[in-house]
Amino acid sequence: METFSDEALKRTHHCGQLRSSDIDAEVRLAGWVRSYRDHGGVVFIDLRDREGITQVVFDPDVGGEEMHTLARAIRNEWVIAVKGKVRPRGEDRVNPKLDTGEIEVICDELNVLNRAQPVPFEPDEYHSTSEENRLKYRYIDLRRTEMTRALRLRHQICRVMRAALDEDGFVEVETPFLTKSTPEGARDFLVPSRMQDAAFYALPQSPQLFKQVLMVGGLDRYYQIVRCFRDEDLRADRQPEFTQLDIEMSFATEADVMDVTNRIMRSVCELSGKSFPDEVPVMSFAEAVRRFGSDRPDLRFGMELIDVSDIVKETDFGVFTGAIDAGGVVKCIVVPGGAEMTRKETDGLAEWARGFGAGGMAVTKVAEGGALETGIAKFMAPVAAGLIERTGARAGDLLCFGSDKTTIVNRVLGELRCKLARERGMIDPGAMEWLWVVDFPLVEWNEDENRWDSLHHPFTAPKVEDMDKLDSDPGSVRSRAYDIVCNGLEMGGGSIRIHNLDVQEQVFRLLGISHEEARAKFSFLLDALSYGAPPHGGIAFGLDRTAMMMIGAGSIRDVIAFPKTQRGVCPLTGAPSDVDHMQLTELNLRIMDEPHNQ
RNA sequence: GGGGCUGUAGCUCAAUUGGUUUAGAGUACCGGACUGUCGAUCCGGUGGUUGCGGGUUCGAAUCCCGUCAGCCUCGCCA
């Protein structure tokens, strides 16, 4: 083991700090060896810490033979501490790639703090490796400036969020992780109780009920940067544990929550050098779905969905007329310059559309003079002029049609416009298009279970003016929910909550939750509502997604220090793993089907 | 659970589409040379169950089947 004095660790500067103005200063640096260049006589080492890189020179004439011999043995990723003098490099030796490139440190005292085995990959900008390796050796991956930058920006984001909320009188309160399983929503992670046989805690999917109880408790304004847990399949933007900025406020309306949110996101964007509008546009759910086929529309490009049902029903094209007769719609999008797509490509769209439950994808191209050609051109010929006028399509454009039930058409064309925008380079990489989506339906019909499900959650308040339809026409009742969307990603969502016990019980009835079930699952909330609950509402943001967007990362794994793989495995620790038999016994648990998991 | 892509030295990739290749190169690592490099350079060397298991074939990294892992995605995620 290497020995060194405490003095060796007393850094005077970090590795990204020294400049020409520091020349002749006596300094101590410590860090990791990024590369070494041994010239036999003089040795150069690039020393890296989280702040940057400084070149250190080992010259036997300055530091002595013993130091020089030790310096020659140094390898990549060893941890060393040096003492020396800052000196200029001379004009022809300046390294413009480094912030510290005008100077170097000529070492007179070298301490090897720790050696390193050859690393599985080198954490510099010239090498890459599989994400699997990066996660397994995360401690090496984290040395990369890109990762350091991501984690530090994430920290800054949290900091400005806290600052903005603190300024507005919000109080950060912690809520339990060992809590009660909730009936709806995602699958819970369960934690067996040792003290109570056959009883389980659940890790919270969100602190929803606790924050409402805090409002009843008079906290008035609460927030928390908090971990949430959902046992569902993973995606690029979904981890089984993820972080939310969770907010709740009393005596608040939709506008109040949206104001606070806008202020926070503006600070976060300012910090990250991203744009945030003075006024965030607000769009109803119905309009978003009608025009963009999505409740989280990406406004960085056009290609809106255009209803052409009334035009094409005059044709003899059975696919369209059949869909309309069955109560569906025909809509289309105009792909600018899309006529250049090949037959193979447009056929590929039809195949792709089937993946979303559509029968296919009809296309046709706009030629010079407004004529249609290829695809379904001959069927559309009689209404070509009407289509051109309605859609505003120009020569060289491609028309893509969806015909089916309204929900399927919106879905397919909504996905299609995003896919084409991506693939055809129609997205300005620097654009940030923020949007509030409001007036969501309170419930949606669940075909499989034959019942109404909450769109948001069961505690979302219905709009006062729609209350009278709660029993007669639940599907048309709008809720007091709102989502904030950026570039087609849902960044956060919330609602004004139900604060009245009668209304809450009415909504439970609508959702098919019996009085007994409601008492069993949420008696604490129902009791709380009956003891003087103030009107209140709030919102929750995906912090990981926010950080991902601000850093421009492709996956939330890049802004999480220790993320899990798609199968929920942590490559670093190997979790999840089997446990000692004694631990199971203590919990009164037995593995039922051992081979199932092998 | 379904669909797609990927898997070859520690790492990043080749291997003329089944055939003189003992599966190569760069980098890392080991040894040597070198007092101004900066992704140092030069010389030499170690390093392989081609993810794993079957099969087809005179012959498989290459074709087929199965399986495992990673990524993307549908379902799922109030």
Short mmCIF file of all heavy atoms in Angstrom, two decimals, chain A residues 309 311-330 359-360 362 375-383 401-405:
data_model
loop_
_atom_site.label_atom_id
_atom_site.label_comp_id
_atom_site.label_asym_id
_atom_site.label_seq_id
_atom_site.Cartn_x
_atom_site.Cartn_y
_atom_site.Cartn_z
N SER A 309 -63.10 13.69 -43.67
CA SER A 309 -64.19 12.73 -43.79
C SER A 309 -65.27 13.21 -44.76
O SER A 309 -65.72 12.46 -45.64
CB SER A 309 -64.84 12.48 -42.43
OG SER A 309 -63.87 12.11 -41.48
N ILE A 311 -65.12 15.17 -47.19
CA ILE A 311 -64.69 15.22 -48.59
C ILE A 311 -64.64 13.81 -49.19
O ILE A 311 -65.22 13.54 -50.24
CB ILE A 311 -63.31 15.90 -48.71
CG1 ILE A 311 -63.40 17.35 -48.25
CG2 ILE A 311 -62.81 15.83 -50.15
CD1 ILE A 311 -62.06 18.07 -48.21
N VAL A 312 -63.97 12.90 -48.48
CA VAL A 312 -63.71 11.59 -49.10
C VAL A 312 -64.94 10.68 -49.05
O VAL A 312 -64.95 9.65 -49.73
CB VAL A 312 -62.51 10.88 -48.44
CG1 VAL A 312 -61.27 11.75 -48.56
CG2 VAL A 312 -62.80 10.55 -46.98
N LYS A 313 -65.96 11.06 -48.29
CA LYS A 313 -67.12 10.18 -48.27
C LYS A 313 -67.85 10.22 -49.62
O LYS A 313 -68.67 9.35 -49.91
CB LYS A 313 -68.06 10.55 -47.12
CG LYS A 313 -68.91 11.78 -47.29
CD LYS A 313 -70.01 11.75 -46.22
CE LYS A 313 -71.03 12.84 -46.42
NZ LYS A 313 -70.70 14.11 -45.81
N GLU A 314 -67.51 11.20 -50.47
CA GLU A 314 -68.10 11.30 -51.81
C GLU A 314 -67.41 10.38 -52.81
O GLU A 314 -67.80 10.31 -53.97
CB GLU A 314 -68.01 12.75 -52.33
CG GLU A 314 -68.58 13.81 -51.40
CD GLU A 314 -70.05 13.60 -51.11
OE1 GLU A 314 -70.75 13.00 -51.96
OE2 GLU A 314 -70.50 14.02 -50.02
N THR A 315 -66.33 9.71 -52.38
CA THR A 315 -65.60 8.87 -53.34
C THR A 315 -66.13 7.44 -53.29
O THR A 315 -67.02 7.11 -52.49
CB THR A 315 -64.10 8.83 -52.99
OG1 THR A 315 -63.95 8.14 -51.74
CG2 THR A 315 -63.54 10.23 -52.89
N ASP A 316 -65.56 6.60 -54.17
CA ASP A 316 -65.93 5.19 -54.20
C ASP A 316 -64.91 4.33 -53.46
O ASP A 316 -64.85 3.12 -53.65
CB ASP A 316 -66.03 4.70 -55.66
CG ASP A 316 -67.16 5.40 -56.40
OD1 ASP A 316 -68.17 5.72 -55.74
OD2 ASP A 316 -67.00 5.65 -57.60
N PHE A 317 -64.07 5.00 -52.67
CA PHE A 317 -63.02 4.24 -51.98
C PHE A 317 -63.59 3.60 -50.72
O PHE A 317 -63.84 4.25 -49.71
CB PHE A 317 -61.86 5.17 -51.65
CG PHE A 317 -60.63 4.44 -51.17
CD1 PHE A 317 -60.15 3.32 -51.84
CD2 PHE A 317 -59.94 4.88 -50.06
CE1 PHE A 317 -59.01 2.65 -51.41
CE2 PHE A 317 -58.80 4.22 -49.61
CZ PHE A 317 -58.34 3.10 -50.30
N GLY A 318 -63.82 2.29 -50.82
CA GLY A 318 -64.55 1.57 -49.78
C GLY A 318 -63.90 1.64 -48.40
O GLY A 318 -64.58 1.66 -47.38
N VAL A 319 -62.58 1.67 -48.38
CA VAL A 319 -61.88 1.71 -47.09
C VAL A 319 -62.30 2.96 -46.31
O VAL A 319 -62.57 2.90 -45.11
CB VAL A 319 -60.35 1.71 -47.31
CG1 VAL A 319 -59.62 1.86 -45.98
CG2 VAL A 319 -59.91 0.44 -48.01
N PHE A 320 -62.40 4.10 -47.04
CA PHE A 320 -62.75 5.35 -46.38
C PHE A 320 -64.25 5.41 -46.06
O PHE A 320 -64.64 5.71 -44.94
CB PHE A 320 -62.36 6.55 -47.26
CG PHE A 320 -60.88 6.82 -47.30
CD1 PHE A 320 -60.37 7.86 -48.08
CD2 PHE A 320 -60.00 6.06 -46.57
CE1 PHE A 320 -59.00 8.12 -48.11
CE2 PHE A 320 -58.63 6.30 -46.60
CZ PHE A 320 -58.14 7.34 -47.39
N THR A 321 -65.06 5.11 -47.07
CA THR A 321 -66.50 5.22 -46.85
C THR A 321 -66.96 4.22 -45.80
O THR A 321 -67.83 4.51 -44.98
CB THR A 321 -67.27 5.00 -48.17
OG1 THR A 321 -66.88 3.74 -48.72
CG2 THR A 321 -66.98 6.11 -49.16
N GLY A 322 -66.31 3.06 -45.81
CA GLY A 322 -66.66 2.05 -44.81
C GLY A 322 -66.37 2.53 -43.40
O GLY A 322 -67.17 2.37 -42.47
N ALA A 323 -65.20 3.15 -43.23
CA ALA A 323 -64.83 3.66 -41.92
C ALA A 323 -65.80 4.73 -41.46
O ALA A 323 -66.19 4.78 -40.28
CB ALA A 323 -63.40 4.21 -41.96
N ILE A 324 -66.21 5.60 -42.38
CA ILE A 324 -67.11 6.69 -42.02
C ILE A 324 -68.50 6.13 -41.67
O ILE A 324 -69.10 6.52 -40.67
CB ILE A 324 -67.21 7.72 -43.17
CG1 ILE A 324 -65.85 8.40 -43.36
CG2 ILE A 324 -68.28 8.76 -42.88
CD1 ILE A 324 -65.72 9.17 -44.65
N ASP A 325 -68.95 5.18 -42.50
CA ASP A 325 -70.26 4.58 -42.23
C ASP A 325 -70.28 3.88 -40.88
O ASP A 325 -71.31 3.83 -40.21
CB ASP A 325 -70.62 3.57 -43.34
CG ASP A 325 -70.91 4.27 -44.66
OD1 ASP A 325 -71.13 5.50 -44.64
OD2 ASP A 325 -70.89 3.60 -45.71
N ALA A 326 -69.13 3.36 -40.47
CA ALA A 326 -69.07 2.66 -39.18
C ALA A 326 -68.91 3.64 -38.02
O ALA A 326 -68.67 3.22 -36.88
CB ALA A 326 -67.90 1.66 -39.19
N GLY A 327 -69.01 4.93 -38.31
CA GLY A 327 -68.93 5.92 -37.24
C GLY A 327 -67.54 6.45 -37.00
O GLY A 327 -67.31 7.20 -36.06
N GLY A 328 -66.61 6.07 -37.88
CA GLY A 328 -65.24 6.54 -37.71
C GLY A 328 -64.96 7.79 -38.51
O GLY A 328 -65.88 8.51 -38.89
N VAL A 329 -63.67 8.08 -38.71
CA VAL A 329 -63.28 9.28 -39.44
C VAL A 329 -62.17 8.95 -40.43
O VAL A 329 -61.53 7.89 -40.34
CB VAL A 329 -62.73 10.38 -38.50
CG1 VAL A 329 -63.82 10.97 -37.65
CG2 VAL A 329 -61.58 9.84 -37.66
N VAL A 330 -61.95 9.87 -41.35
CA VAL A 330 -60.77 9.84 -42.21
C VAL A 330 -60.04 11.17 -42.00
O VAL A 330 -60.62 12.23 -42.18
CB VAL A 330 -61.14 9.67 -43.70
CG1 VAL A 330 -59.86 9.65 -44.55
CG2 VAL A 330 -61.95 8.40 -43.90
N GLY A 359 -55.70 -0.53 -39.90
CA GLY A 359 -55.76 -1.49 -41.00
C GLY A 359 -54.62 -1.32 -41.96
O GLY A 359 -54.18 -2.26 -42.62
N GLY A 360 -54.11 -0.11 -42.05
CA GLY A 360 -53.02 0.18 -42.97
C GLY A 360 -52.84 1.67 -43.05
O GLY A 360 -53.23 2.40 -42.13
N ALA A 362 -53.13 4.64 -46.10
CA ALA A 362 -53.28 5.03 -47.49
C ALA A 362 -52.48 6.29 -47.75
O ALA A 362 -52.45 7.20 -46.91
CB ALA A 362 -54.76 5.27 -47.80
N GLY A 375 -50.44 5.54 -55.28
CA GLY A 375 -51.24 5.20 -54.11
C GLY A 375 -52.73 5.17 -54.44
O GLY A 375 -53.15 4.56 -55.42
N ILE A 376 -53.49 5.90 -53.64
CA ILE A 376 -54.94 5.87 -53.84
C ILE A 376 -55.39 7.03 -54.73
O ILE A 376 -56.55 7.45 -54.69
CB ILE A 376 -55.67 5.93 -52.48
CG1 ILE A 376 -55.28 7.19 -51.72
CG2 ILE A 376 -55.39 4.68 -51.67
CD1 ILE A 376 -56.17 7.47 -50.51
N ALA A 377 -54.50 7.54 -55.58
CA ALA A 377 -54.79 8.71 -56.41
C ALA A 377 -56.04 8.53 -57.24
O ALA A 377 -56.88 9.43 -57.32
CB ALA A 377 -53.59 9.01 -57.32
N LYS A 378 -56.19 7.35 -57.85
CA LYS A 378 -57.32 7.21 -58.78
C LYS A 378 -58.66 7.25 -58.03
O LYS A 378 -59.64 7.75 -58.56
CB LYS A 378 -57.18 5.93 -59.61
CG LYS A 378 -57.37 4.64 -58.85
CD LYS A 378 -57.40 3.43 -59.77
CE LYS A 378 -57.46 2.17 -58.95
NZ LYS A 378 -57.56 0.94 -59.71
N PHE A 379 -58.67 6.78 -56.78
CA PHE A 379 -59.91 6.86 -56.00
C PHE A 379 -60.21 8.30 -55.58
O PHE A 379 -61.35 8.70 -55.44
CB PHE A 379 -59.83 6.00 -54.74
CG PHE A 379 -59.71 4.52 -55.03
CD1 PHE A 379 -58.50 3.87 -54.88
CD2 PHE A 379 -60.82 3.80 -55.46
CE1 PHE A 379 -58.38 2.52 -55.14
CE2 PHE A 379 -60.70 2.44 -55.72
CZ PHE A 379 -59.49 1.80 -55.57
N MET A 380 -59.14 9.07 -55.34
CA MET A 380 -59.31 10.43 -54.81
C MET A 380 -59.46 11.46 -55.92
O MET A 380 -59.77 12.62 -55.64
CB MET A 380 -58.09 10.80 -53.95
CG MET A 380 -57.97 10.01 -52.65
SD MET A 380 -59.41 10.16 -51.59
CE MET A 380 -60.03 8.47 -51.63
N ALA A 381 -59.24 11.04 -57.16
CA ALA A 381 -59.24 11.99 -58.27
C ALA A 381 -60.47 12.91 -58.27
O ALA A 381 -60.33 14.13 -58.43
CB ALA A 381 -59.12 11.25 -59.60
N PRO A 382 -61.68 12.36 -58.06
CA PRO A 382 -62.87 13.23 -58.12
C PRO A 382 -62.86 14.33 -57.05
O PRO A 382 -63.51 15.35 -57.24
CB PRO A 382 -64.03 12.25 -57.88
CG PRO A 382 -63.49 10.90 -58.13
CD PRO A 382 -62.04 10.95 -57.82
N VAL A 383 -62.17 14.11 -55.94
CA VAL A 383 -62.19 15.11 -54.86
C VAL A 383 -60.83 15.76 -54.65
O VAL A 383 -60.58 16.38 -53.63
CB VAL A 383 -62.66 14.47 -53.53
CG1 VAL A 383 -64.10 13.97 -53.66
CG2 VAL A 383 -61.73 13.36 -53.09
N PHE A 401 -53.16 9.11 -45.09
CA PHE A 401 -54.52 9.04 -44.58
C PHE A 401 -54.66 7.95 -43.52
O PHE A 401 -54.10 6.86 -43.67
CB PHE A 401 -55.50 8.71 -45.71
CG PHE A 401 -55.59 9.77 -46.77
CD1 PHE A 401 -54.70 9.77 -47.84
CD2 PHE A 401 -56.55 10.77 -46.70
CE1 PHE A 401 -54.77 10.74 -48.82
CE2 PHE A 401 -56.63 11.75 -47.69
CZ PHE A 401 -55.74 11.73 -48.75
N GLY A 402 -55.43 8.26 -42.51
CA GLY A 402 -55.83 7.25 -41.56
C GLY A 402 -57.34 7.16 -41.57
O GLY A 402 -58.02 8.18 -41.56
N SER A 403 -57.86 5.95 -41.60
CA SER A 403 -59.32 5.78 -41.62
C SER A 403 -59.68 4.64 -40.70
O SER A 403 -59.22 3.51 -40.89
CB SER A 403 -59.80 5.48 -43.04
OG SER A 403 -59.16 4.32 -43.53
N ASP A 404 -60.46 4.96 -39.66
CA ASP A 404 -60.80 3.92 -38.69
C ASP A 404 -61.66 4.58 -37.63
O ASP A 404 -62.15 5.69 -37.82
CB ASP A 404 -59.52 3.33 -38.07
CG ASP A 404 -59.72 1.89 -37.62
OD1 ASP A 404 -60.69 1.63 -36.89
OD2 ASP A 404 -58.89 1.03 -37.99
N LYS A 405 -61.76 3.93 -36.49
CA LYS A 405 -62.38 4.59 -35.35
C LYS A 405 -61.54 5.82 -35.00
O LYS A 405 -60.32 5.82 -35.15
CB LYS A 405 -62.42 3.64 -34.13
CG LYS A 405 -63.41 2.51 -34.29
CD LYS A 405 -63.68 1.80 -32.96
CE LYS A 405 -62.43 1.08 -32.48
NZ LYS A 405 -62.70 0.20 -31.32
#
